[in-house]
Coordinates of all heavy atoms in Angstrom, one line a residue:
F1 N 42.5 -30.5 24.7 CA 43.9 -30.7 24.4 C 44.0 -31.8 23.3 O 44.8 -31.7 22.5 CB 44.6 -31.1 25.6 CG 46.0 -30.4 25.7 CD1 46.1 -29.1 26.1 CD2 47.1 -31.1 25.4 CE1 47.4 -28.6 26.2 CE2 48.4 -30.6 25.4 CZ 48.5 -29.3 25.8
D2 N 43.1 -32.8 23.4 CA 43.2 -33.9 22.5 C 42.7 -33.6 21.1 O 43.0 -34.2 20.1 CB 42.4 -35.1 23.0 CG 40.9 -34.8 23.2 OD1 40.7 -33.7 23.8 OD2 40.1 -35.6 22.9
K3 N 42.0 -32.4 20.9 CA 41.5 -32.0 19.6 C 42.5 -31.1 18.9 O 42.3 -30.7 17.7 CB 40.2 -31.2 19.8 CG 39.1 -32.0 20.6 CD 38.6 -33.1 19.8 CE 37.4 -33.8 20.5 NZ 37.7 -34.9 21.4
M4 N 43.6 -30.7 19.5 CA 44.6 -29.8 18.9 C 45.4 -30.6 17.8 O 45.6 -31.8 17.9 CB 45.6 -29.3 19.9 CG 45.0 -28.5 21.0 SD 46.2 -28.1 22.3 CE 47.3 -26.9 21.4
N5 N 45.8 -29.9 16.8 CA 46.6 -30.5 15.8 C 48.1 -30.6 16.3 O 48.4 -29.9 17.3 CB 46.5 -29.8 14.4 CG 47.0 -28.4 14.4 OD1 48.0 -28.1 15.0 ND2 46.3 -27.5 13.7
D6 N 48.9 -31.3 15.6 CA 50.3 -31.5 16.1 C 51.1 -30.3 16.2 O 51.9 -30.1 17.1 CB 51.0 -32.6 15.2 CG 50.4 -34.0 15.4 OD1 49.8 -34.2 16.5 OD2 50.6 -34.8 14.5
Q7 N 50.9 -29.4 15.2 CA 51.7 -28.1 15.2 C 51.3 -27.3 16.4 O 52.2 -26.7 17.0 CB 51.4 -27.3 13.9 CG 52.2 -26.0 13.8 CD 53.7 -26.2 13.9 OE1 54.2 -27.1 13.4 NE2 54.3 -25.3 14.6
D8 N 50.0 -27.2 16.8 CA 49.6 -26.4 18.0 C 50.2 -27.1 19.2 O 50.6 -26.4 20.2 CB 48.1 -26.3 18.0 CG 47.6 -25.5 16.9 OD1 48.3 -24.6 16.4 OD2 46.3 -25.6 16.6
R9 N 50.2 -28.4 19.3 CA 50.8 -29.1 20.5 C 52.3 -28.7 20.6 O 52.8 -28.5 21.7 CB 50.6 -30.6 20.4 CG 49.3 -31.0 20.7 CD 49.2 -32.5 20.9 NE 47.8 -32.9 20.8 CZ 47.4 -34.1 20.5 NH1 48.3 -35.1 20.2 NH2 46.2 -34.4 20.5
V10 N 53.0 -28.7 19.5 CA 54.4 -28.4 19.5 C 54.6 -26.9 20.1 O 55.5 -26.7 20.9 CB 55.1 -28.5 18.1 CG1 56.5 -27.9 18.1 CG2 55.1 -30.0 17.8
S11 N 53.8 -26.0 19.6 CA 53.8 -24.6 20.0 C 53.5 -24.5 21.5 O 54.3 -23.7 22.2 CB 52.9 -23.8 19.2 OG 53.2 -23.8 17.9
I12 N 52.5 -25.1 22.0 CA 52.2 -25.0 23.4 C 53.2 -25.7 24.3 O 53.5 -25.3 25.4 CB 50.7 -25.4 23.7 CG1 50.3 -24.8 25.0 CG2 50.6 -26.9 23.8 CD1 48.8 -24.8 25.2
H13 N 53.8 -26.8 23.8 CA 54.9 -27.5 24.5 C 56.0 -26.5 24.7 O 56.6 -26.5 25.8 CB 55.3 -28.7 23.8 CG 56.3 -29.6 24.6 ND1 57.6 -29.5 24.3 CD2 56.1 -30.4 25.6 CE1 58.2 -30.3 25.1 NE2 57.3 -30.9 25.9
E14 N 56.4 -25.8 23.7 CA 57.5 -24.8 23.8 C 57.2 -23.8 24.9 O 58.0 -23.4 25.7 CB 57.8 -24.1 22.5 CG 58.8 -23.0 22.6 CD 59.0 -22.2 21.3 OE1 58.2 -22.4 20.3 OE2 59.8 -21.3 21.4
A15 N 55.9 -23.3 24.9 CA 55.5 -22.2 25.8 C 55.6 -22.8 27.3 O 56.0 -22.1 28.2 CB 54.1 -21.7 25.5
M16 N 55.2 -24.0 27.4 CA 55.1 -24.6 28.8 C 56.5 -25.0 29.2 O 56.8 -25.0 30.4 CB 54.2 -25.9 28.8 CG 52.8 -25.5 28.5 SD 51.8 -27.0 28.2 CE 51.7 -27.7 29.8
E17 N 57.4 -25.4 28.3 CA 58.7 -25.9 28.7 C 59.7 -24.7 28.9 O 60.4 -24.6 29.9 CB 59.3 -26.8 27.6 CG 60.6 -27.4 27.9 CD 61.1 -28.3 26.8 OE1 61.2 -27.8 25.7 OE2 61.4 -29.4 27.1
Q18 N 59.7 -23.8 27.9 CA 60.7 -22.7 27.9 C 60.2 -21.4 28.3 O 60.9 -20.4 28.4 CB 61.4 -22.6 26.5 CG 62.0 -23.9 26.1 CD 62.5 -23.8 24.6 OE1 62.4 -22.8 24.0 NE2 62.9 -24.9 24.2
Q19 N 58.9 -21.3 28.6 CA 58.2 -20.0 28.9 C 58.5 -18.9 27.9 O 58.7 -17.8 28.2 CB 58.6 -19.6 30.3 CG 58.1 -20.5 31.4 CD 58.4 -20.0 32.8 OE1 59.2 -19.1 33.0 NE2 57.7 -20.7 33.7
S20 N 58.5 -19.3 26.6 CA 58.6 -18.4 25.5 C 58.0 -18.9 24.3 O 57.7 -20.1 24.2 CB 60.1 -18.1 25.2 OG 60.7 -19.3 24.7
I21 N 57.6 -18.0 23.4 CA 57.0 -18.4 22.1 C 57.9 -17.8 21.0 O 58.2 -16.7 21.0 CB 55.6 -17.8 22.0 CG1 54.7 -18.3 23.0 CG2 55.0 -18.0 20.6 CD1 54.2 -19.7 22.9
S22 N 58.2 -18.6 20.0 CA 59.0 -18.2 18.9 C 58.1 -17.7 17.8 O 57.1 -18.4 17.4 CB 59.9 -19.3 18.3 OG 60.8 -19.8 19.3
I23 N 58.3 -16.5 17.3 CA 57.5 -15.9 16.3 C 58.3 -15.6 15.0 O 59.5 -15.1 15.1 CB 56.9 -14.5 16.7 CG1 56.2 -14.7 18.0 CG2 56.1 -13.9 15.7 CD1 54.8 -15.1 17.9
S24 N 57.8 -16.0 13.9 CA 58.5 -15.7 12.6 C 57.4 -15.2 11.6 O 56.8 -16.1 10.9 CB 59.2 -16.9 12.1 OG 59.8 -16.6 10.8
K25 N 57.1 -13.9 11.6 CA 56.0 -13.4 10.7 C 56.5 -12.1 10.1 O 57.1 -11.3 10.7 CB 54.8 -13.1 11.5 CG 54.1 -14.3 12.2 CD 53.1 -14.9 11.2 CE 52.4 -16.0 11.9 NZ 51.6 -16.8 11.1
A26 N 56.2 -11.9 8.8 CA 56.5 -10.7 8.1 C 57.9 -10.2 8.2 O 58.2 -9.1 8.4 CB 55.5 -9.6 8.5
G27 N 58.8 -11.2 8.2 CA 60.2 -10.8 8.3 C 60.7 -10.6 9.7 O 61.9 -10.2 9.9
I28 N 59.9 -10.7 10.7 CA 60.3 -10.5 12.1 C 60.5 -11.8 12.7 O 59.6 -12.7 12.7 CB 59.2 -9.7 12.8 CG1 59.1 -8.3 12.2 CG2 59.6 -9.6 14.3 CD1 57.9 -7.5 12.8
V29 N 61.6 -12.1 13.3 CA 61.9 -13.3 14.0 C 62.3 -13.0 15.4 O 63.3 -12.2 15.6 CB 63.1 -14.1 13.3 CG1 63.4 -15.4 14.0 CG2 62.7 -14.4 11.8
T30 N 61.5 -13.4 16.4 CA 61.8 -13.1 17.7 C 61.2 -14.1 18.7 O 60.5 -15.0 18.3 CB 61.2 -11.7 18.1 OG1 61.6 -11.3 19.4 CG2 59.7 -11.7 18.0
Q31 N 61.5 -14.0 19.9 CA 60.9 -14.8 21.0 C 60.3 -13.9 22.0 O 60.8 -12.9 22.4 CB 62.0 -15.6 21.7 CG 62.4 -16.9 21.0 CD 63.2 -17.8 21.9 OE1 63.9 -17.4 22.7 NE2 63.1 -19.1 21.6
L32 N 59.0 -14.3 22.4 CA 58.3 -13.5 23.3 C 58.1 -14.3 24.6 O 58.0 -15.5 24.6 CB 56.9 -13.1 22.8 CG 56.9 -12.4 21.5 CD1 55.5 -12.2 21.0 CD2 57.5 -11.0 21.6
Q33 N 58.2 -13.6 25.8 CA 57.9 -14.2 27.0 C 56.5 -14.8 27.1 O 55.6 -14.1 26.6 CB 58.1 -13.2 28.2 CG 59.6 -12.8 28.3 CD 60.5 -13.8 28.9 OE1 60.0 -14.6 29.7 NE2 61.7 -13.8 28.5
A34 N 56.3 -15.9 27.7 CA 55.0 -16.5 27.8 C 54.8 -17.1 29.2 O 54.8 -18.3 29.4 CB 54.8 -17.6 26.8
R35 N 54.7 -16.3 30.2 CA 54.6 -16.7 31.6 C 53.1 -16.7 31.9 O 52.5 -15.7 32.1 CB 55.4 -15.8 32.5 CG 56.8 -16.0 32.3 CD 57.6 -15.2 33.3 NE 59.0 -15.3 32.9 CZ 60.0 -14.6 33.5 NH1 59.7 -13.8 34.5 NH2 61.2 -14.7 33.0
C36 N 52.5 -17.9 32.0 CA 51.1 -18.0 32.3 C 50.8 -19.4 32.8 O 51.6 -20.3 32.7 CB 50.2 -17.6 31.0 SG 50.5 -18.8 29.7
S37 N 49.6 -19.5 33.3 CA 49.1 -20.9 33.7 C 48.4 -21.5 32.6 O 47.7 -20.8 31.8 CB 48.2 -20.7 34.9 OG 48.9 -20.2 36.0
V38 N 48.4 -22.8 32.5 CA 47.7 -23.5 31.4 C 46.7 -24.5 32.1 O 47.2 -25.3 32.9 CB 48.6 -24.3 30.5 CG1 47.8 -25.1 29.5 CG2 49.6 -23.3 29.7
I39 N 45.5 -24.4 31.8 CA 44.5 -25.3 32.3 C 43.9 -26.0 31.0 O 43.5 -25.3 30.1 CB 43.4 -24.7 33.1 CG1 43.9 -24.0 34.3 CG2 42.3 -25.7 33.4 CD1 42.9 -23.2 35.1
A40 N 44.0 -27.3 31.0 CA 43.6 -28.0 29.8 C 42.7 -29.2 30.1 O 42.6 -29.6 31.2 CB 44.9 -28.6 29.1
A41 N 42.0 -29.6 29.1 CA 41.0 -30.7 29.2 C 41.2 -31.6 28.0 O 41.5 -31.2 26.9 CB 39.6 -30.2 29.3
A42 N 41.0 -32.9 28.2 CA 41.0 -33.9 27.1 C 40.0 -35.0 27.4 O 39.8 -35.4 28.5 CB 42.4 -34.5 27.0
N43 N 39.4 -35.5 26.3 CA 38.5 -36.5 26.4 C 39.2 -37.9 26.2 O 40.1 -38.0 25.5 CB 37.4 -36.4 25.3 CG 36.5 -35.2 25.5 OD1 36.1 -35.0 26.6 ND2 36.3 -34.4 24.5
P44 N 38.7 -38.9 26.9 CA 39.3 -40.2 26.7 C 39.0 -40.8 25.3 O 38.0 -40.5 24.7 CB 38.7 -41.1 27.8 CG 37.4 -40.4 28.1 CD 37.6 -38.9 27.8
V45 N 40.0 -41.7 24.9 CA 39.8 -42.3 23.6 C 38.6 -43.2 23.7 O 38.3 -44.0 24.6 CB 41.1 -43.2 23.3 CG1 40.9 -44.0 22.0 CG2 42.3 -42.3 23.2
G46 N 37.7 -43.1 22.7 CA 36.5 -44.0 22.6 C 35.4 -43.4 23.5 O 34.3 -44.0 23.6
G47 N 35.6 -42.3 24.1 CA 34.5 -41.7 24.9 C 34.4 -42.1 26.3 O 33.6 -41.6 27.1
R48 N 35.0 -43.2 26.7 CA 35.0 -43.7 28.1 C 36.3 -44.0 28.7 O 37.2 -44.5 28.0 CB 34.2 -45.1 28.1 CG 32.8 -45.0 27.7 CD 31.9 -45.3 28.9 NE 30.5 -45.2 28.5 CZ 29.6 -44.4 29.1 NH1 30.0 -43.6 30.1 NH2 28.4 -44.4 28.7
Y49 N 36.5 -43.6 29.9 CA 37.8 -43.8 30.6 C 38.0 -45.2 31.0 O 37.1 -45.8 31.6 CB 37.9 -42.9 31.8 CG 39.3 -42.8 32.4 CD1 40.2 -41.9 31.9 CD2 39.7 -43.6 33.4 CE1 41.5 -41.8 32.4 CE2 40.9 -43.5 34.0 CZ 41.8 -42.6 33.5 OH 43.1 -42.5 34.0
D50 N 39.1 -45.8 30.6 CA 39.4 -47.2 30.9 C 40.3 -47.3 32.1 O 41.5 -47.0 32.0 CB 39.9 -47.9 29.7 CG 40.2 -49.4 29.9 OD1 40.0 -49.9 31.0 OD2 40.6 -50.1 28.9
S51 N 39.9 -47.7 33.3 CA 40.7 -47.8 34.5 C 41.9 -48.7 34.4 O 42.9 -48.6 35.1 CB 39.9 -48.2 35.7 OG 38.8 -47.2 35.9
S52 N 41.9 -49.7 33.5 CA 42.9 -50.6 33.3 C 44.1 -50.0 32.5 O 45.2 -50.6 32.5 CB 42.5 -51.9 32.7 OG 42.0 -51.7 31.3
R53 N 43.9 -48.9 31.9 CA 45.0 -48.2 31.1 C 45.5 -47.0 31.9 O 44.9 -46.5 32.7 CB 44.4 -47.8 29.7 CG 43.9 -49.0 28.9 CD 43.1 -48.5 27.7 NE 44.0 -47.9 26.7 CZ 43.6 -47.2 25.7 NH1 42.3 -47.1 25.4 NH2 44.4 -46.7 24.8
T54 N 46.7 -46.6 31.5 CA 47.3 -45.4 32.1 C 46.6 -44.2 31.6 O 45.9 -44.2 30.6 CB 48.8 -45.3 31.8 OG1 48.9 -45.1 30.4 CG2 49.6 -46.6 32.2
F55 N 46.9 -43.1 32.3 CA 46.3 -41.8 32.0 C 46.7 -41.4 30.6 O 45.8 -41.0 29.8 CB 46.7 -40.7 33.0 CG 46.1 -39.4 32.7 CD1 44.8 -39.1 33.2 CD2 46.7 -38.4 32.0 CE1 44.2 -37.9 33.0 CE2 46.1 -37.2 31.7 CZ 44.9 -36.9 32.2
S56 N 48.0 -41.5 30.3 CA 48.4 -41.1 28.9 C 47.8 -42.0 27.8 O 47.6 -41.5 26.7 CB 49.9 -41.1 28.8 OG 50.5 -42.4 29.1
E57 N 47.6 -43.3 28.1 CA 46.9 -44.1 27.1 C 45.5 -43.8 26.9 O 45.0 -43.9 25.8 CB 47.0 -45.6 27.5 CG 48.4 -46.2 27.5 CD 48.5 -47.6 28.1 OE1 47.7 -47.9 28.9 OE2 49.5 -48.3 27.7
N58 N 44.8 -43.4 28.0 CA 43.4 -43.0 27.9 C 43.2 -41.7 27.1 O 42.2 -41.6 26.3 CB 42.8 -42.8 29.3 CG 42.2 -44.1 29.8 OD1 41.2 -44.6 29.3 ND2 42.8 -44.7 30.8
V59 N 44.1 -40.8 27.2 CA 43.9 -39.5 26.5 C 44.8 -39.3 25.3 O 44.7 -38.4 24.5 CB 44.1 -38.3 27.4 CG1 43.0 -38.3 28.5 CG2 45.4 -38.3 28.0
E60 N 45.7 -40.3 25.0 CA 46.6 -40.3 23.9 C 47.4 -39.0 23.8 O 47.5 -38.4 22.8 CB 45.9 -40.6 22.6 CG 45.5 -42.0 22.4 CD 45.1 -42.4 21.0 OE1 44.7 -41.5 20.2 OE2 45.0 -43.6 20.7
L61 N 48.0 -38.6 24.9 CA 48.9 -37.5 25.0 C 50.3 -38.0 25.4 O 50.4 -39.0 26.2 CB 48.5 -36.4 26.0 CG 47.2 -35.7 25.6 CD1 46.8 -34.7 26.7 CD2 47.4 -34.9 24.3
T62 N 51.3 -37.4 24.9 CA 52.7 -38.0 25.1 C 53.1 -37.6 26.5 O 52.7 -36.6 27.1 CB 53.7 -37.4 24.1 OG1 53.7 -36.0 24.2 CG2 53.3 -37.8 22.7
E63 N 54.1 -38.3 27.1 CA 54.6 -38.0 28.4 C 55.3 -36.7 28.5 O 55.2 -36.0 29.5 CB 55.6 -39.2 28.8 CG 54.9 -40.5 29.1 CD 54.0 -40.4 30.3 OE1 54.2 -39.6 31.2 OE2 53.0 -41.2 30.3
P64 N 56.0 -36.2 27.4 CA 56.6 -34.9 27.5 C 55.6 -33.8 27.7 O 55.8 -32.9 28.5 CB 57.4 -34.7 26.2 CG 57.7 -36.1 25.7 CD 56.5 -36.9 26.2
I65 N 54.4 -33.9 27.1 CA 53.4 -32.9 27.3 C 52.8 -33.0 28.7 O 52.6 -32.1 29.4 CB 52.2 -33.1 26.2 CG1 52.7 -32.6 24.9 CG2 51.0 -32.3 26.6 CD1 52.8 -31.2 24.6
L66 N 52.5 -34.3 29.1 CA 51.9 -34.5 30.4 C 52.8 -34.1 31.6 O 52.3 -33.6 32.6 CB 51.5 -36.0 30.6 CG 50.3 -36.4 29.7 CD1 50.1 -37.9 29.9 CD2 49.0 -35.6 30.0
S67 N 54.1 -34.2 31.4 CA 55.0 -33.9 32.4 C 55.1 -32.4 32.7 O 55.6 -32.0 33.8 CB 56.4 -34.4 32.1 OG 57.0 -33.6 31.0
R68 N 54.6 -31.6 31.8 CA 54.5 -30.1 32.0 C 53.4 -29.7 33.0 O 53.4 -28.5 33.4 CB 54.4 -29.4 30.7 CG 55.5 -29.7 29.7 CD 56.8 -29.1 30.3 NE 58.0 -29.7 29.5 CZ 59.1 -29.9 30.1 NH1 59.3 -29.7 31.4 NH2 60.1 -30.5 29.4
F69 N 52.5 -30.5 33.2 CA 51.4 -30.2 34.1 C 51.7 -30.6 35.5 O 52.3 -31.7 35.8 CB 50.1 -30.9 33.7 CG 49.5 -30.3 32.4 CD1 49.8 -31.0 31.2 CD2 48.7 -29.2 32.4 CE1 49.3 -30.5 30.0 CE2 48.2 -28.6 31.2 CZ 48.5 -29.3 30.0
D70 N 51.4 -29.7 36.5 CA 51.7 -30.0 37.9 C 50.6 -31.0 38.5 O 50.9 -31.8 39.4 CB 51.7 -28.7 38.7 CG 52.9 -27.8 38.4 OD1 53.9 -28.4 38.0 OD2 52.7 -26.6 38.4
V71 N 49.4 -30.9 38.0 CA 48.3 -31.7 38.5 C 47.5 -32.3 37.4 O 47.2 -31.6 36.4 CB 47.3 -30.8 39.4 CG1 46.2 -31.6 39.9 CG2 48.1 -30.1 40.5
L72 N 47.2 -33.6 37.5 CA 46.4 -34.3 36.5 C 45.2 -34.8 37.2 O 45.4 -35.6 38.2 CB 47.1 -35.4 35.8 CG 48.4 -35.0 35.0 CD1 49.1 -36.3 34.5 CD2 48.0 -34.1 33.8
C73 N 44.0 -34.5 36.8 CA 42.8 -35.0 37.5 C 41.9 -35.7 36.5 O 41.8 -35.3 35.4 CB 42.0 -33.8 38.1 SG 42.8 -32.9 39.3
V74 N 41.3 -36.8 37.0 CA 40.4 -37.6 36.2 C 39.0 -37.3 36.7 O 38.8 -37.6 37.9 CB 40.7 -39.1 36.2 CG1 39.7 -39.9 35.4 CG2 42.1 -39.3 35.6
I75 N 38.1 -36.9 35.9 CA 36.7 -36.7 36.3 C 35.9 -37.7 35.5 O 35.8 -37.7 34.3 CB 36.2 -35.3 36.0 CG1 37.1 -34.3 36.8 CG2 34.7 -35.1 36.3 CD1 36.8 -32.8 36.4
R76 N 35.3 -38.6 36.2 CA 34.5 -39.7 35.6 C 33.0 -39.6 35.9 O 32.6 -39.1 37.0 CB 35.0 -41.1 36.1 CG 36.4 -41.4 35.7 CD 36.9 -42.7 36.2 NE 36.0 -43.7 35.7 CZ 36.0 -44.9 36.2 NH1 36.7 -45.3 37.2 NH2 35.2 -45.9 35.6
D77 N 32.2 -39.9 34.9 CA 30.8 -39.9 35.1 C 30.3 -41.3 35.2 O 30.5 -42.1 34.3 CB 30.1 -39.2 33.9 CG 28.6 -39.2 34.0 OD1 28.0 -39.1 35.1 OD2 27.9 -39.3 32.9
T78 N 29.7 -41.7 36.4 CA 29.1 -43.0 36.5 C 27.7 -43.0 35.8 O 27.0 -42.1 36.0 CB 29.0 -43.4 38.0 OG1 28.3 -42.4 38.7 CG2 30.4 -43.5 38.6
V79 N 27.5 -44.1 35.1 CA 26.2 -44.2 34.4 C 25.1 -44.5 35.4 O 25.1 -45.5 36.1 CB 26.3 -45.3 33.3 CG1 25.0 -45.4 32.6 CG2 27.5 -45.0 32.3
D80 N 24.1 -43.6 35.4 CA 23.0 -43.7 36.3 C 21.8 -43.1 35.6 O 21.6 -41.9 35.7 CB 23.2 -43.0 37.7 CG 22.1 -43.2 38.6 OD1 21.0 -43.8 38.2 OD2 22.2 -42.8 39.8
P81 N 21.0 -43.9 34.9 CA 19.9 -43.3 34.1 C 18.9 -42.5 34.8 O 18.4 -41.5 34.3 CB 19.2 -44.6 33.5 CG 20.2 -45.7 33.5 CD 21.1 -45.4 34.7
V82 N 18.6 -42.9 36.1 CA 17.6 -42.1 36.9 C 18.2 -40.8 37.2 O 17.5 -39.7 37.1 CB 17.3 -42.9 38.2 CG1 16.4 -42.1 39.1 CG2 16.6 -44.2 37.8
N83 N 19.4 -40.7 37.7 CA 20.1 -39.4 38.1 C 20.3 -38.6 36.8 O 20.1 -37.4 36.9 CB 21.4 -39.7 38.8 CG 21.9 -38.4 39.5 OD1 21.1 -37.6 39.9 ND2 23.2 -38.3 39.5
D84 N 20.7 -39.2 35.7 CA 20.9 -38.5 34.5 C 19.6 -37.8 34.0 O 19.6 -36.7 33.5 CB 21.4 -39.4 33.4 CG 22.9 -39.8 33.7 OD1 23.5 -39.2 34.5 OD2 23.3 -40.8 33.0
E85 N 18.5 -38.6 34.1 CA 17.2 -38.0 33.7 C 16.8 -36.9 34.6 O 16.3 -35.8 34.1 CB 16.1 -39.1 33.8 CG 14.7 -38.7 33.4 CD 14.5 -38.5 31.9 OE1 15.2 -39.1 31.2 OE2 13.6 -37.7 31.6
R86 N 17.0 -37.0 35.9 CA 16.6 -35.9 36.8 C 17.5 -34.7 36.6 O 17.0 -33.6 36.6 CB 16.9 -36.4 38.3 CG 16.3 -35.5 39.3 CD 16.4 -36.0 40.7 NE 17.9 -36.1 41.0 CZ 18.4 -37.1 41.8 NH1 17.7 -38.0 42.3 NH2 19.7 -37.1 42.0
L87 N 18.8 -34.8 36.3 CA 19.6 -33.7 36.0 C 19.2 -33.1 34.7 O 19.2 -31.8 34.6 CB 21.1 -34.2 35.9 CG 22.1 -33.1 35.6 CD1 22.1 -32.0 36.7 CD2 23.5 -33.7 35.5
A88 N 18.9 -33.9 33.6 CA 18.4 -33.3 32.3 C 17.1 -32.5 32.5 O 17.0 -31.4 31.9 CB 18.2 -34.4 31.3
D89 N 16.2 -33.0 33.3 CA 14.9 -32.3 33.6 C 15.2 -31.0 34.3 O 14.6 -30.0 34.0 CB 14.0 -33.1 34.4 CG 13.4 -34.3 33.7 OD1 13.4 -34.3 32.4 OD2 12.9 -35.3 34.3
F90 N 16.1 -31.0 35.2 CA 16.5 -29.7 35.9 C 17.1 -28.7 35.0 O 16.8 -27.5 35.0 CB 17.5 -30.0 37.1 CG 17.9 -28.8 37.8 CD1 17.1 -28.2 38.7 CD2 19.2 -28.3 37.6 CE1 17.5 -27.1 39.4 CE2 19.6 -27.2 38.2 CZ 18.8 -26.6 39.2
V91 N 18.0 -29.2 34.1 CA 18.7 -28.2 33.2 C 17.8 -27.7 32.2 O 17.8 -26.5 31.8 CB 19.9 -28.9 32.5 CG1 20.5 -28.1 31.4 CG2 21.0 -29.3 33.6
V92 N 16.9 -28.5 31.6 CA 16.0 -28.1 30.6 C 14.8 -27.4 31.2 O 14.3 -26.4 30.9 CB 15.5 -29.3 29.7 CG1 14.5 -28.9 28.7 CG2 16.7 -29.9 29.0

């Protein structure tokens, strides 16, 4: 979600808020129903989650966008070189 450009964010915000998408292509202007679930992911600013900052500050998403989600989850990776090495050996 954090990699989207501003125009795409505006478009998805409309879909999440009004459950419709506005289309204006080839002389056709209409609104289409957009009833679906949205599952999104975003990386923290600087690559590491800072517990002293709020969720919106960590991912640099605005409150209007975040308020459209019913559930916000933070998944953190604790740095453990031994476990990371073991996991990398298993995957490779």
Side-chain angles (χ1 to χ4, degrees):
F1 220 80
D2 58 320
K3 305 291 188 265
M4 295 173 73
N5 65 38
D6 289 337
Q7 179 60 38
D8 290 340
R9 280 192 198 158
V10 169
S11 297
I12 201 159
H13 186 259
E14 177 189 0
M16 294 169 71
E17 182 181 56
Q18 300 171 6
Q19 295 184 344
S20 66
I21 299 286
S22 299
I23 304 276
S24 178
K25 295 273 183 186
I28 299 172
V29 178
T30 188
Q31 278 194 329
L32 302 174
Q33 294 287 328
R35 294 185 186 173
C36 64
S37 298
V38 176
I39 298 174
N43 293 316
V45 176
R48 295 247 181 236
Y49 192 84
D50 183 356
S51 300
S52 66
R53 298 171 68 189
T54 65
F55 183 84
S56 61
E57 290 172 338
N58 269 290
V59 294
E60 285 191 343
L61 294 175
T62 62
E63 289 297 330
I65 291 282
L66 291 176
S67 70
R68 299 294 165 216
F69 291 97
D70 294 326
V71 178
L72 300 173
C73 298
V74 176
I75 299 173
R76 295 180 61 196
D77 178 33
T78 54
V79 179
D80 181 357
V82 173
N83 193 34
D84 291 347
E85 179 74 27
R86 190 176 64 213
L87 180 61
D89 288 341
F90 176 78
V91 171
V92 176

